[in-house]
Amino acid sequence: MLLNMENISKSYGPVRANTDINFTLGKGEIHALVGENGAGKTTLMRILYGMEKPTSGTVLVNGKPQSFATPADAISSGIGMVHQHFMLFPSFTVAENIVIGQEPGKWSGFDRKAAAAAVEKLSKQYGMPVDPHKKVETCSLGVQQRVEILKVLYQGADIIILDEPTGVLTPLEVKELLVSIKRLASQGKSFIIISHKLQEIMEVADRITVLRDGRVTGVVDAKNTDIEQISRLMVGRDLVQMERSAPKLGAPVLEVRALSVPGDRGKPLVDDASFKVHAGEIVGVAGISGNGQSELIGAIAGLQEASSGQVMLAGQDVTGAPVRNIRELGLAHIPEDRYQWGAAKDATVVENGLMGHARQQQRSGIMRGRSIRKMVEGWVKRFEVKTGSLDTKVQFLSGGNLQKLIAARELAQGTPFLIAAEPTRGVDVGAMEMIHGELLKRRDEQGAILLVSSELTEILKLSDRILVMNEGRIVGELAADEATEEQISLLMAGGKRH
């Protein structure tokens, strides 16, 4: 075996993140690592990449014991990692990002021409085309993912760890990435993929290791298993298949009228958008990332200024109103970026539970500390948020557990209107089932929900109507029971509905 991780355990005080884990990887193998949020996947890979030291256990590369104190040690042993959030410099070119740390002509002066030539050769060798002269900030997310992989290949990696590699990619970019991974594996590169997207795992993986509560619950060959078995190993039970009943529409809760949001270069980011969301329905918004969905959400929630048009909430014009006023009128918001808009990383679990709704928890200007803690504790239990205590800073939660906390906080408000933007990003199948169930329950209780998601399966599963955005415009509206993934993908790409 190329890699052996033997009896790996990792403790943080009394908390056990990994317990006696054995994990192997062969040359040219694609090995997936899956599990619930907080199951210990990322901790195990941080140990392999030199970001953490194991409490006990051994790592062997090519049969030789290794002890990695830093990522540089791991890189020197042929291990590279592409993180969930890209580690690129936006103002640098593709070539500059790939060769950084190992620049040609480093001591005599950076040789940009040699760097571009090296990157061009590398991209042709591995069939991953990039423009070495293009600035990363102008590249699509799919190309940025490619740059990250080329960077670790340039560093000489034979083992490549991918952490949630398709989380921000379009369906077409996902397909291209999976093809690239298979091609690289056929050329002798080995992959460890951490992912919650089991369908993609089944398409690309040779073997799958499942973790639950820091322990291995199964190692299976992908060709001899199915998604249902993997899900059972992950959550310890069968998942419930949800059925969506016909909507019982009430009055319009949100009305967007000819809304436009300006862009930096004259072209609007949202262009003349008009639609309604009624009580008792979920309206899905589908679109390739960067086509105006974020700006549309921002303008509705009061986070972004509109150049024209109106936003009406519960019959009142809230266009350009302060966020607090819009919140108090009845808006809750699961934001698409949990770190930028949804949480304060240095604040505790209970403090984050108050955010956006603190005024509702006051009596005569005084916070009701005991009842607040009881309320947040209820959310933590109900949504199975794994945390040491309510006083833990949320920076120490896994991304999926923070997502569950934010979803619990916003759903618990019982507001007339909810924006759910990427509500299940980075969560496991069990948490996804729970959040989907809560969204449908809220809708059946006559809540109005605007669902924005890059996951077409999520849009199709939950929505009663689907709006499709392309280049800032709403280019199509489809009834969910008539829509297909192919129709939506065509509209997302700028095609016309037949």
Side-chain angles (χ1 to χ4, degrees):
M1 280 290 175
L2 177 63
L3 170 72
N4 290 72
M5 300 183 77
E6 299 178 348
N7 301 312
I8 300 294
S9 293
K10 177 64 180 179
S11 298
Y12 299 94
V15 178
R16 270 276 179 113
N18 294 148
T19 303
D20 295 326
I21 291 177
N22 292 298
F23 182 90
T24 62
L25 181 70
K27 184 175 175 61
E29 183 183 23
I30 303 168
H31 195 150
L33 186 62
V34 302
E36 290 185 285
N37 299 124
K41 308 180 298 294
T42 300
T43 300
L44 186 66
M45 288 302 101
R46 285 171 67 88
I47 288 169
L48 178 58
Y49 193 54
M51 299 174 76
E52 301 272 2
K53 288 191 74 69
T55 305
S56 61
T58 307
V59 176
L60 298 97
V61 179
N62 287 314
K64 296 179 181 178
Q66 302 287 345
S67 179
F68 302 137
T70 66
D73 293 340
I75 290 167
S76 67
S77 293
I79 300 170
M81 185 168 183
V82 177
H83 298 272
Q84 186 174 357
H85 301 283
F86 299 153
M87 305 286 191
L88 299 173
F89 294 96
S91 60
F92 286 16
T93 66
V94 166
E96 288 166 347
N97 271 282
I98 289 172
V99 304
I100 195 163
Q102 297 182 17
E103 300 92 337
K106 186 172 182 179
W107 306 115
S108 59
F110 179 31
D111 189 338
R112 283 181 169 78
K113 189 174 180 181
V119 168
E120 202 162 352
K121 180 181 177 182
L122 193 72
S123 71
K124 286 179 180 176
Q125 178 183 349
Y126 292 113
M128 302 185 76
V130 293
D131 180 351
H133 305 288
K134 196 172 184 180
K135 287 198 172 183
V136 161
E137 63 191 357
T138 66
C139 295
S140 70
L141 291 169
V143 171
Q144 289 182 40
Q145 178 74 273
R146 215 174 291 164
V147 171
E148 286 278 24
I149 294 172
L150 286 169
K151 184 167 70 174
V152 298
L153 290 169
Y154 182 80
Q155 292 167 345
D158 291 315
I159 297 170
I160 301 169
I161 305 164
L162 301 178
D163 188 1
E164 296 290 349
T166 65
V168 294
L169 304 186
T170 66
L172 179 60
E173 288 170 335
V174 169
K175 288 179 181 177
E176 290 173 349
L177 176 64
L178 298 184
V179 168
S180 295
I181 291 170
K182 289 178 181 177
R183 184 190 302 117
L184 288 166
S186 72
Q187 295 174 348
K189 300 299 179 183
S190 303
F191 286 87
I192 303 170
I193 302 177
I194 303 172
S195 180
H196 292 105
K197 299 184 179 180
L198 299 186
Q199 186 61 55
E200 294 168 8
I201 287 299
M202 296 299 291
E203 285 183 42
V204 76
D206 298 307
R207 280 192 300 152
I208 302 165
T209 289
V210 186
L211 300 185
R212 185 167 76 242
D213 295 328
R215 296 177 182 272
V216 174
T217 57
V219 182
V220 294
D221 290 330
K223 63 184 178 182
N224 296 328
T225 189
D226 55 30
I227 288 175
E228 287 71 25
Q229 183 188 5
I230 298 298
S231 299
R232 281 194 296 274
L233 289 169
M234 285 175 63
V235 301
R237 59 178 172 83
D238 288 322
L239 296 180
V240 178
Q241 295 299 318
M242 289 181 298
E243 293 186 7
R244 181 167 50 89
S245 59
K248 297 176 181 176
L249 297 186
V253 177
L254 175 77
E255 295 184 61
V256 175
R257 302 172 179 171
L259 186 71
S260 292
V261 175
D264 294 335
R265 299 173 185 174
K267 187 177 180 180
L269 299 172
V270 177
D271 190 359
D272 196 32
S274 296
F275 63 92
K276 296 178 182 180
V277 184
H278 294 77
E281 75 168 339
I282 297 175
V283 174
V285 179
I288 296 169
S289 179
N291 275 266
Q293 306 96 304
S294 299
E295 292 76 19
L296 176 65
I297 294 167
I300 293 169
L303 297 167
Q304 192 143 358
E305 189 174 343
S307 56
S308 60
Q310 277 185 308
V311 177
M312 306 290 293
L313 180 62
Q316 296 194 43
D317 188 346
V318 296
T319 316
V323 173
R324 192 177 85 181
N325 292 11
I326 299 173
R327 283 273 194 178
E328 290 177 350
L329 264 175
L331 176 140
H333 181 194
I334 302 171
E336 60 182 329
D337 188 327
R338 54 184 170 247
Y339 294 103
Q340 184 175 3
W341 300 109
K345 66 177 184 177
D346 290 324
T348 66
V349 169
V350 73
E351 288 166 346
N352 273 275
L354 277 173
M355 289 178 182
H357 307 281
R359 286 168 64 86
Q360 289 93 311
Q361 302 304 323
Q362 293 181 9
R363 289 291 181 271
S364 303
I366 299 171
M367 288 289 181
R368 300 174 298 147
R370 186 175 296 177
S371 62
I372 290 167
R373 289 184 70 87
K374 188 175 180 181
M375 175 183 70
V376 176
E377 186 177 25
W379 301 344
V380 166
K381 287 181 179 176
R382 183 175 168 189
F383 280 75
E384 298 176 3
V385 179
K386 293 182 180 177
T387 176
S389 78
L390 297 184
D391 299 311
T392 299
K393 291 185 178 181
V394 299
Q395 63 181 297
F396 298 115
L397 299 185
S398 71
N401 278 301
L402 178 56
Q403 184 74 21
K404 288 192 281 186
L405 176 65
I406 294 167
R409 178 186 70 200
E410 299 304 316
L411 282 160
Q413 307 310 315
T415 54
F417 179 62
L418 169 69
I419 298 173
E422 307 292 352
T424 59
R425 175 170 281 171
V427 304
D428 57 68
V429 289
M432 188 180 299
E433 172 197 57
M434 182 186 300
I435 292 171
H436 285 176
E438 292 291 333
L439 288 170
L440 289 171
K441 181 182 176 185
R442 184 76 203 93
R443 168 256 212 187
D444 291 343
E445 293 170 345
Q446 287 297 288
I449 299 172
L450 185 68
L451 169 69
V452 181
S453 177
S454 55
E455 300 290 338
L456 289 190
T457 52
E458 185 165 64
I459 291 284
L460 287 163
K461 185 176 184 179
L462 297 177
S463 303
D464 300 301
R465 286 187 293 126
I466 300 169
L467 308 175
V468 185
M469 292 191 73
N470 176 258
E471 295 186 353
R473 297 184 68 85
I474 294 174
V475 295
E477 179 176 330
L478 303 150
D481 55 1
E482 298 174 359
T484 66
E485 194 166 317
E486 290 73 22
Q487 284 178 317
I488 299 170
S489 296
L490 180 67
L491 289 167
M492 284 168 61
K496 293 183 179 179
R497 183 183 176 192
H498 296 295

